[in-house]
Amino acid sequence: MLASERATRRKILKAIGTLAAGISFDGIEGAFAQQLDSMPACHAGDAPTLRQTEGPFFKPRSPERIELIEPGMSGQPIEITGFVLTRSCKPVPGALIDVWQSDAAGIYDNSGFRLRGHQFTDAEGRYRLRTIVPGVYEGRTRHIHVKVQPPGRRILTTQLYFPGEANNQRDGLFRKELMVRTVKASGWLAGRFDFVLDLR
Ligand code: FE
């Protein structure tokens, strides 16, 4: 990693830290300030996040972690942040977010838990996931599988997609409403996606 990349990365990590602490946005470039906006971008009455098929590779009891990148793992690093919200834009604290995805070669780890993990939204209903952009496999565009469950309520199973993928239009499951918004930084991507649950 170049020194300039390290500096940018430090700055972004600091910005995320600042965001998490709920203080100011000093020092963040415009695009990132927008990307990492502390306010959910939702409107009362927004449609809930679409449900999608679970697919064949879900495994229960994934480790609790926000960091899925392991030493030596190849692929494009991405940090996806966002909120879990009700239809009236209320943040949902303590919501379970369980993620599973393929590696950069399009392969799922079905014997272990590589690129699988769960976490719970914080007191402000936020989550933060550090992973790689998944690879493509037969018949599918790039996607991350997610289950979101507010405390004691029904599970939302869905999938997230990525912008600018030629395969999006060829994948019958792809929905633009499930696309992560991304901003490029040096060497990695910042992504944003808010889940809207069918709760008041
Ligand atoms: Fe899949």
Side-chain angles (χ1 to χ4, degrees):
M1 195 187 284
L2 298 171
S4 62
E5 287 181 1
R6 268 200 304 274
T8 307
R9 195 171 142 74
R10 255 198 313 275
K11 203 153 125 192
I12 293 162
L13 289 173
K14 194 168 152 242
I16 291 164
T18 304
L19 175 69
I23 316 170
S24 78
F25 287 88
D26 285 2
I28 311 180
E29 295 86 345
F32 281 97
Q34 210 174 2
Q35 185 69 24
L36 299 170
D37 195 326
S38 70
M39 293 306 291
C42 79
H43 312 91
D46 272 358
T49 301
L50 294 171
R51 292 178 183 276
Q52 292 223 296
T53 176
E54 175 179 290
F57 301 122
F58 173 70
K59 269 178 74 169
R61 292 180 291 279
S62 68
E64 181 171 355
R65 55 185 178 182
I66 64 166
E67 174 68 79
L68 302 186
I69 301 176
E70 294 169 19
M73 190 177 271
S74 60
Q76 166 67 60
I78 182 168
E79 178 164 271
I80 305 174
T81 57
F83 290 82
V84 174
L85 304 163
T86 68
R87 289 188 75 178
S88 44
C89 298
K90 281 196 225 117
V92 181
L96 169 73
I97 298 192
D98 199 348
V99 167
W100 69 105
Q101 66 169 84
S102 69
D103 66 13
I107 296 166
Y108 286 83
D109 179 6
N110 295 315
S111 53
F113 289 95
R114 204 165 53 102
L115 293 168
R116 297 171 185 270
H118 75 271
Q119 61 180 288
F120 297 90
T121 53
D122 69 10
E124 277 77 50
R126 290 177 300 208
Y127 74 94
R128 185 157 76 97
L129 175 70
R130 293 175 53 83
T131 186
I132 56 152
V133 175
V136 292
Y137 60 90
E138 187 61 38
R140 295 303 320 274
T141 190
R142 294 181 207 282
H143 62 281
I144 294 180
H145 296 268
V146 194
K147 285 180 186 283
V148 182
Q149 184 178 31
R153 307 296 286 263
R154 185 180 174 199
I155 296 171
L156 166 74
T157 301
T158 191
Q159 303 184 28
L160 301 182
Y161 298 92
F162 298 87
E165 294 291 330
N167 287 326
N168 284 348
Q169 303 316 321
R170 294 194 277 272
D171 185 332
L173 286 174
F174 169 78
R175 292 290 177 275
K176 64 179 188 326
E177 299 92 324
L178 295 173
M179 210 152 54
V180 174
R181 288 187 291 129
T182 59
V183 176
K184 282 193 181 111
S186 37
W188 69 299
L189 292 173
R192 174 70 186 264
F193 190 86
D194 293 343
F195 295 94
V196 179
L197 302 176
D198 197 7
L199 302 172
R200 279 282 117 199

